[in-house]
Amino acid sequence: MITVKDFADVLERDHILLVSGGRQNMNKEIAYLTSMELTEKTSRMKEKGFVMTTFHAFKDVNQMISHLEWMQEIGISAIGFHTAALKAIPKEVIDYSHTHSFPLFEIPQEIPYYVIHEKYNKLVNQRENEQASKIHKLNEKLMEIVLLEKDLNSIVKVIGEYINNVVCVLDPYFDLMAYWKTKEQTRDEIKHLINLIINQHKENVLKVRFTNRETNIAVKMDGLAEQNFKVAPLFSKMNFLGYLIICQNGTEDKYSEEVIRNGIRALSLAAYNKNTLLHYQKSKDIEMLESIFQGESDDKSLSDFYMDLKKVRCIFQVQSSSPETLHSKLQMLSESLIENETNSRLWIYNRKIVGVIDSILDRDRLAKILTDYPGIRIGVSAIDEVNHCSKMKAMYDHSSVGLLHGQIHDEQLVFWDEMGIEKIAYNLQSHHLFQNFDEELLGPLFAYDQEKNASLTETLYTYLKHFFNLQKSSGELFVHPNTVKYRLQKITEIMQVDIQNPSNYSMLMLAFSIHSYKQKADQFQ
């Protein structure tokens, strides 16, 4: 940008002096030069111009002043009064210039207009070269930052300091990764700004990702005028890495676009490098977690992991009725559930999605997700703190039992902490002393039902499930309460067990849980 002061310094060397009105407006931009010799108010006159004139066609000073008023109204930056016609600038013109802070230059009569044009063009070329050199150095600095593997904030700082406005980088989940702000702004204000952008333009921002095209948005600020922002996608080798958001208010400089383009290139490279490292770190963590799930935790320490396992709160597993869609569901769950990618991992293992996360899963939130995905089940571990790698194995087993329980009882969502006696029964059955526990206790009923084509086993389970409530049991079995009474007498006679005894009640419910598992176990292999 060429200012009045810049041009005044150049013109002064040839005794073309600023005689009045410019001291308060030295920073006004001069975008072009033109000459004016007629009295008409032509539309070719635009703002930010430097107008040269002899005023020889004007009949008096009043007409000159009227024209000066019009030129100042349309935004002319400065006037060059050529003394070829009038040997001296009228005092009234000088007074007007001084009173209205309208820069007025005196051009000696022997200097033709083309000399002034040449000086302006030379100054423009000089500035263009200086600016091109500056942009080149900025670009070199950006590439140096990438090669030295500095953080994203270093790149964002280069962009921000050039355009002198807000620059933010968000990850694919809209979390703030890096930003540059003016001294007057706070981090909380930047975070609030990002929330406004996402709340007002989430759909437009997402389109940037899926169309790989920049977009411009206008954001309504709290009690302030709207601000305009550019949103650009950050991609590398088909991988989406995040969003670049730049405030465009006051960034009309034509070189700003080039700085932004170079910045996008540098950010994409840096984010890709970071993403590659993060991918390696994730892979190593996942490899060690899988070995822990397989029972190999003794030789591992929490410090072996890149993620902070002490911040992990639960493990969940997701099973789908259509395994071929697991990858799409993995993406959906990543966007819905992962709050801190640094201390969470989500991947596919043994044809299930496994999530090791640092937040507590909300039942209502999960239930809402499941309404849109009826073909999946989720098992969630106990909510706990991890102080040893063996705890990760226990939490993984919790989630496995939750999935198993959901399959047996046809439930989509099961939390370990909400399960009852089944959490004991499923694990008890695997012990060699209890593999036939259900047969030992319920065998006589099984045999009677098979021989007589009866339903005593179902009656006993229903009666126990309803805590000895005759009315609820008969209602579920669609029989008269007296029929249930008769069957219970028969059950007591066959089993020789007091089913009302608390200890016997617990044993029978364990036996039924083991039996349910064994009945459906083949489906879950």
Side-chain angles (χ1 to χ4, degrees):
M1 181 176 79
I2 307 298
T3 66
V4 172
K5 182 181 185 311
D6 296 331
F7 204 31
D9 291 342
V10 171
L11 295 177
E12 188 176 6
R13 297 168 198 157
D14 284 302
H15 307 291
I16 303 171
L17 305 178
L18 180 69
V19 295
S20 178
R23 300 302 172 189
Q24 294 97 346
N25 289 288
M26 298 300 279
N27 290 323
K28 278 191 172 183
E29 180 183 0
I30 297 177
Y32 69 96
L33 265 60
T34 189
S35 58
M36 177 202 73
E37 298 302 339
L38 302 177
T39 59
E40 62 179 350
K41 297 177 180 179
T42 173
S43 60
R44 69 182 176 85
M45 289 284 190
K46 307 291 183 184
E47 63 177 346
K48 300 180 181 178
F50 182 94
V51 179
M52 299 175 288
T53 180
T54 61
F55 282 108
H56 77 280
F58 291 73
K59 63 182 180 180
D60 55 32
V61 169
N62 289 334
Q63 193 176 19
M64 293 181 190
I65 298 297
S66 173
H67 223 69
L68 288 174
E69 289 174 345
W70 169 72
M71 285 192 286
Q72 196 165 23
E73 282 177 10
I74 64 173
I76 295 299
S77 297
I79 298 294
F81 195 116
H82 199 288
T83 56
L86 297 174
K87 303 305 179 187
I89 302 175
K91 180 178 181 302
E92 294 88 343
V93 172
I94 295 175
D95 289 343
Y96 175 88
S97 168
H98 178 73
T99 303
H100 295 86
S101 300
F102 196 12
L104 176 66
F105 289 81
E106 182 176 359
I107 304 173
Q109 61 178 350
E110 68 274 9
I111 297 179
Y113 288 159
Y114 77 84
V115 171
I116 298 173
H117 275 284
E118 286 177 352
K119 292 182 178 298
Y120 178 77
N121 291 335
K122 184 178 180 181
L123 181 59
V124 169
N125 290 334
Q126 178 185 334
R127 288 299 169 86
E128 290 275 355
N129 292 334
E130 290 172 356
Q131 197 67 26
S133 176
K134 182 178 180 181
I135 297 301
H136 179 71
K137 288 178 180 178
L138 278 179
N139 195 31
E140 286 186 336
K141 186 175 182 180
L142 289 171
M143 290 303 104
E144 181 183 0
I145 291 170
V146 173
L147 292 172
L148 293 175
E149 296 184 352
K150 294 184 180 181
D151 62 16
L152 300 182
N153 274 306
S154 301
I155 298 173
V156 169
K157 181 181 178 183
V158 173
I159 304 171
E161 288 181 342
Y162 184 87
I163 68 172
N164 194 33
N165 221 322
V166 173
V167 180
C168 298
V169 176
L170 308 185
D171 70 8
Y173 311 106
F174 306 135
D175 288 331
L176 189 61
M177 296 172 67
Y179 68 92
W180 187 90
K181 60 180 182 61
T182 61
K183 291 181 180 179
E184 296 77 23
Q185 295 168 307
T186 66
R187 177 181 172 83
D188 286 341
E189 287 174 342
I190 296 298
K191 293 172 75 173
H192 179 62
L193 170 63
I194 296 303
N195 287 334
L196 286 178
I197 290 172
I198 301 306
N199 289 337
Q200 294 177 24
H201 295 283
K202 185 174 183 178
E203 186 175 336
N204 289 331
V205 174
L206 284 172
K207 282 182 181 177
V208 167
R209 171 178 183 173
F210 295 112
T211 62
N212 194 14
R213 292 180 181 174
E214 298 176 0
T215 191
N216 296 310
I217 57 176
V219 179
K220 297 175 183 176
M221 309 298 291
D222 302 334
L224 301 172
E226 281 189 342
Q227 287 194 0
N228 298 310
F229 291 84
K230 176 196 290 291
V231 184
L234 300 176
F235 272 93
S236 182
K237 295 184 179 179
M238 302 303 292
N239 293 319
F240 178 68
L241 306 171
Y243 306 90
L244 176 65
I245 297 179
I246 296 176
C247 182
Q248 290 193 293
N249 289 32
T251 58
E252 292 85 1
D253 178 359
K254 67 178 181 178
Y255 288 102
S256 296
E257 282 301 314
E258 187 173 350
V259 172
I260 292 168
R261 282 197 305 273
N262 292 337
I264 290 173
R265 189 180 303 113
L267 284 167
S268 294
L269 287 170
Y272 177 74
N273 291 341
K274 182 180 179 183
N275 198 51
T276 301
L277 176 61
L278 184 60
H279 180 73
Y280 170 76
Q281 293 171 342
K282 283 183 178 181
S283 298
K284 294 296 292 182
D285 281 349
I286 288 170
E287 183 181 327
M288 288 191 289
L289 286 169
E290 288 179 357
S291 66
I292 289 174
F293 297 162
Q294 294 163 15
E296 303 170 10
S297 60
D298 292 342
D299 62 338
K300 292 179 179 60
S301 167
L302 299 183
S303 60
D304 294 337
F305 289 80
Y306 290 98
M307 63 189 295
D308 188 352
L309 287 185
K310 290 182 179 179
K311 293 184 178 181
V312 170
R313 288 294 168 265
C314 74
I315 292 178
F316 67 89
Q317 291 188 64
V318 181
Q319 193 168 40
S320 174
S321 58
S322 52
E324 65 277 3
T325 64
L326 275 179
H327 284 282
S328 63
K329 292 180 173 65
L330 179 69
Q331 179 68 21
M332 176 273 295
L333 289 169
S334 294
E335 295 178 359
S336 302
L337 300 178
I338 298 300
E339 296 178 6
N340 184 345
E341 199 174 359
T342 306
N343 288 300
S344 296
R345 299 287 182 263
L346 197 67
W347 76 102
I348 295 175
Y349 173 60
N350 281 350
R351 294 189 298 176
K352 301 179 187 71
I353 296 172
V354 177
V356 177
I357 63 174
D358 63 355
S359 56
I360 297 173
L361 292 179
D362 180 78
R363 166 174 274 281
D364 293 338
R365 187 178 175 190
L366 278 178
K368 186 176 180 181
I369 291 172
L370 288 171
T371 57
D372 297 325
Y373 296 89
I376 67 175
R377 299 186 196 281
I378 301 179
V380 185
S381 75
I383 308 302
D384 209 341
E385 293 186 359
V386 178
N387 48 29
H388 190 271
C389 288
S390 59
K391 184 62 70 74
M392 300 297 294
K393 165 65 172 168
M395 292 168 75
Y396 176 76
D397 290 343
H398 290 168
S399 62
S400 297
V401 172
L403 271 187
L404 177 62
H405 184 79
Q407 292 166 327
I408 291 172
H409 294 276
D410 195 23
E411 296 179 18
Q412 270 196 282
L413 178 60
V414 178
F415 283 75
W416 170 267
D417 290 337
E418 297 176 4
M419 288 177 61
I421 200 170
E422 293 88 356
K423 66 173 67 170
I424 300 172
Y426 300 147
N427 290 282
L428 193 65
Q429 194 275 333
S430 63
H431 194 285
H432 70 280
L433 293 179
F434 296 94
Q435 286 180 350
N436 296 316
F437 182 69
D438 56 329
E439 292 285 345
E440 293 170 9
L441 207 58
L442 302 172
L445 286 187
F446 297 157
Y448 183 88
D449 284 346
Q450 188 171 7
E451 181 183 349
K452 304 291 187 181
N453 194 25
S455 55
L456 295 186
T457 305
E458 181 187 13
T459 300
L460 177 59
Y461 177 70
T462 305
Y463 187 62
L464 294 176
K465 185 177 70 173
H466 289 299
F467 302 105
F468 316 116
N469 188 308
L470 200 60
Q471 294 297 326
K472 288 184 178 179
S473 300
S474 62
E476 183 173 328
L477 294 167
F478 300 105
V479 297
H480 194 276
N482 288 337
T483 302
V484 177
K485 282 183 179 180
Y486 168 76
R487 291 179 183 175
L488 291 171
Q489 290 171 359
K490 193 67 178 175
I491 290 168
T492 303
E493 178 186 320
I494 294 170
M495 296 185 66
Q496 296 296 306
V497 172
D498 179 9
I499 61 177
Q500 304 268 356
N501 180 286
S503 179
N504 291 339
Y505 173 86
S506 299
M507 297 278 279
L508 288 166
M509 289 304 291
L510 271 173
F512 273 116
S513 293
I514 291 172
H515 181 66
S516 295
Y517 167 71
K518 289 167 69 175
Q519 289 290 101
K520 299 185 178 181
D522 291 342
Q523 304 173 24
F524 314 136
Q525 298 305 317

